Amino acid sequence: MQFKDQIDFVRQHIKRNRLRVFMTILAATMGTAFLIVLASVGFGLHDTLRKEMLEYRLVTAIEVYAEEDKKPDDYVEQFKKIENVRAVIEERRLTLNTQVLLDDYQSWSSFTVSDFEEQQKVGFELAEGRLPKEPNEVVVGHHFAEGLYKEVTEEVVQYYEDVLNKEFETVLSDGDEEIGETLKFTIVGISKAPTKEWEEDYNIYADEKNIPIIEQLYEGKMDEDNPLFYSNINVHADQLENVTAISKEIKESGFYTYSVADELEQLDVFFLALKAGLVFVGTIAILISSIGIFNTMTMAVTERTREIGVMKAIGANPKLIQRLFIMESAWIGIIGTVIAILISYGVSAISNYLLPIIVTAALGEEDMGSLNVTFSVIPWQLIVIASVISIGVAVVSGWRPARKATKIDVIQALIQEL
């Protein structure tokens, strides 16, 4: 019997019992759709959290820490020689409170010194002006001007506008007490706005050439317990895939490291276990539907006992008979899986549209834009897993009845009354 004839044979017997086969397909569809939709929640939440972490963090940055007896800033050049390192940024921030005085305006800011060449390698850009060339030149944050104010009346506050090329003074203090001399700087550049809309940048960025000048002015006025600067070392990889290897090499040098890649790795492990658990729960629903396939195929064998006897009498191979019944059960699994996939994508789209509205309404929020959560994602990997499980269970469910069909006695089958 040719393969086309086998297909026609299966199709004829399915048409003969349309209602029973339809109910069996419906059960298989419901089980498979339940698996896909349930597991898609795990994929959706995982995708949402990954996007949140990758959107609001610099994913290629590795923060370096050390014990008190070991200073990371002594190893900056060593870190730069590590393979796949794009830049090593050593930021030193003044530990003292920094008051800014510009004409009749004032504000409080954070004073940071760094290497601008290294900063540019990781995307530090200016909205206006240029980078500092002299020690007394600085770049200010994009919102620096907005932080300058002067009191006109008790109720009105007037803000400064254009600060480019303006000179200002800084007064450093430890609490209420001023320490050291007043420093003067000229603003030669304004940094670009932060990529996050909610983030504001009022900082002052100076070149590392200022470090010896400031240290000389404050010599003897600070001690080891209260240093003038605290250092922050960030090693930037050229791409996310190399972060783990670079972190490992830095750790082997005796330092502690932290990066978003570490969080992502832990997150991936957690959600891998969660998604596996959801797939397992969904598989139970498919196993329940397999009972219907088993019963349908068992009844099919019983009803076709005489046909099976005729086929054996004319020389049909037992493997052919077994294949025909397995093909029928596989057909039920395939049709049920295809319909389940279509239904799952529809349910996923509807849930992603409606659930944010429902949750927002329940929380009493008017603006839904802040709720950026994807509740359901159906990747192709999930479709493959669900299809293999669904069709595999259908085939296994039909295997036992198919084996039973090959063992039917020819004589008994032929004398059986219709």
Side-chain angles (χ1 to χ4, degrees):
M1 183 182 289
Q2 296 182 354
F3 183 74
K4 180 183 178 183
D5 297 327
Q6 296 176 29
I7 295 295
D8 291 336
F9 181 85
V10 172
R11 186 186 305 161
Q12 290 172 8
H13 287 87
I14 288 175
K15 287 183 178 180
R16 191 183 303 173
N17 298 283
R18 293 177 183 174
L19 181 60
R20 186 170 66 203
V21 172
F22 170 77
M23 297 304 295
T24 306
I25 291 176
L26 181 61
T29 299
M30 293 175 63
T32 306
F34 177 76
L35 185 156
I36 296 174
V37 172
L38 183 65
S40 73
V41 175
F43 281 93
L45 294 177
H46 188 193
D47 184 68
T48 298
L49 289 177
R50 280 186 66 92
K51 284 182 178 178
E52 288 289 322
M53 292 177 65
L54 295 176
E55 182 178 1
Y56 296 116
R57 305 283 291 279
L58 191 57
V59 295
T60 58
I62 305 168
E63 297 179 20
V64 181
Y65 306 94
E67 297 179 355
E68 294 182 359
D69 59 340
K70 199 170 188 179
K71 296 181 180 180
D73 50 306
D74 294 336
Y75 294 81
V76 169
E77 295 302 321
Q78 178 181 327
F79 296 154
K80 289 180 180 180
K81 295 177 182 178
I82 298 176
E83 187 178 2
N84 298 317
V85 168
R86 177 187 295 177
V88 179
I89 298 177
E90 179 185 7
E91 290 186 341
R92 296 193 183 187
R93 297 192 178 185
L94 282 172
T95 57
L96 300 174
N97 299 325
T98 305
Q99 184 181 19
V100 176
L101 302 175
L102 198 163
D103 295 338
D104 297 330
Y105 294 79
Q106 61 178 317
S107 70
W108 293 90
S109 183
S110 175
F111 193 94
T112 304
V113 292
S114 183
D115 185 344
F116 284 105
E117 290 185 7
E118 294 294 308
Q119 290 276 13
Q120 286 183 298
K121 292 179 182 179
V122 293
F124 183 85
E125 297 180 19
L126 299 179
E128 297 180 65
R130 59 174 175 81
L131 293 174
K133 297 179 180 179
E134 302 297 331
N136 66 329
E137 296 178 341
V138 296
V139 170
V140 295
H142 191 80
H143 302 92
F144 179 82
E146 298 176 13
L148 292 166
Y149 67 92
K150 69 175 179 180
E151 295 184 2
V152 179
T153 66
E154 294 182 356
E155 298 179 355
V156 179
V157 177
Q158 186 177 10
Y159 293 95
Y160 211 90
E161 294 182 1
D162 186 14
V163 295
L164 191 62
N165 298 319
K166 298 290 184 179
E167 187 178 75
F168 67 90
E169 297 180 348
T170 60
V171 178
L172 306 184
S173 63
D174 183 8
D176 297 329
E177 182 181 352
E178 292 186 9
I179 300 178
E181 300 180 14
T182 299
L183 302 175
K184 293 184 178 182
F185 297 97
T186 300
I187 301 172
V188 296
I190 300 174
S191 68
K192 272 195 172 183
T195 54
K196 298 87 174 178
E197 294 181 359
W198 47 264
E199 188 175 352
E200 296 180 336
D201 186 3
Y202 300 98
N203 295 332
I204 301 170
Y205 302 98
D207 190 84
E208 59 183 2
K209 298 174 184 176
N210 286 278
I211 293 177
I213 298 173
I214 297 175
E215 287 180 337
Q216 184 177 2
L217 290 174
Y218 288 84
E219 186 178 0
K221 297 177 181 178
M222 308 294 290
D223 52 43
E224 293 183 358
D225 295 331
N226 297 292
L228 182 60
F229 291 98
Y230 69 86
S231 181
N232 182 33
I233 304 293
N234 283 328
V235 177
H236 293 260
D238 54 359
Q239 54 187 355
L240 179 60
E241 290 74 14
N242 296 323
V243 170
T244 302
I246 295 172
S247 295
K248 183 178 179 182
E249 188 167 346
I250 294 174
K251 288 177 181 178
E252 290 175 353
S253 299
F255 296 94
Y256 302 106
T257 64
Y258 167 79
S259 66
V260 177
D262 296 332
E263 285 190 24
L264 287 176
E265 185 177 351
Q266 297 175 8
L267 186 73
D268 291 343
V269 171
F270 171 79
F271 273 98
L272 177 63
L274 176 62
K275 288 183 283 191
L278 294 176
V279 169
F280 175 76
V281 173
T283 303
I284 295 175
I286 295 179
L287 291 175
I288 294 173
S289 70
S290 70
I291 298 174
I293 299 175
F294 178 83
N295 289 336
T296 297
M297 297 309 303
T298 301
M299 293 181 66
V301 171
T302 303
E303 292 173 350
R304 301 173 196 168
T305 300
R306 189 176 181 82
E307 292 182 37
I308 295 170
V310 173
M311 292 176 65
K312 281 192 170 185
I314 61 176
N317 193 309
K319 289 185 178 181
L320 173 62
I321 297 172
Q322 179 178 336
R323 187 186 309 123
L324 291 173
F325 284 96
I326 290 179
M327 286 174 61
E328 186 171 337
S329 63
W331 186 89
I332 293 173
I334 291 171
I335 297 300
T337 300
V338 172
I339 298 174
I341 292 172
L342 297 176
I343 293 174
S344 299
Y345 275 109
V347 172
S348 177
I350 293 172
S351 64
N352 285 332
Y353 175 75
L354 291 180
L355 285 177
I357 299 176
I358 295 172
V359 173
T360 303
L363 295 175
E365 298 286 342
E366 295 182 0
D367 182 16
M368 295 184 300
S370 59
L371 188 63
N372 186 22
V373 179
T374 303
F375 290 92
S376 175
V377 170
I378 304 178
W380 66 268
Q381 294 94 332
L382 177 57
I383 296 299
V384 172
I385 292 171
S387 300
V388 170
I389 293 175
S390 178
I391 298 173
V393 168
V395 171
V396 172
S397 299
W399 182 80
R400 182 65 180 175
R403 288 286 296 171
K404 180 182 177 182
T406 62
K407 296 179 181 180
I408 291 177
D409 183 77
V410 178
I411 304 299
Q412 293 295 327
L414 293 175
I415 66 174
Q416 180 175 324
E417 294 184 3
L418 295 176

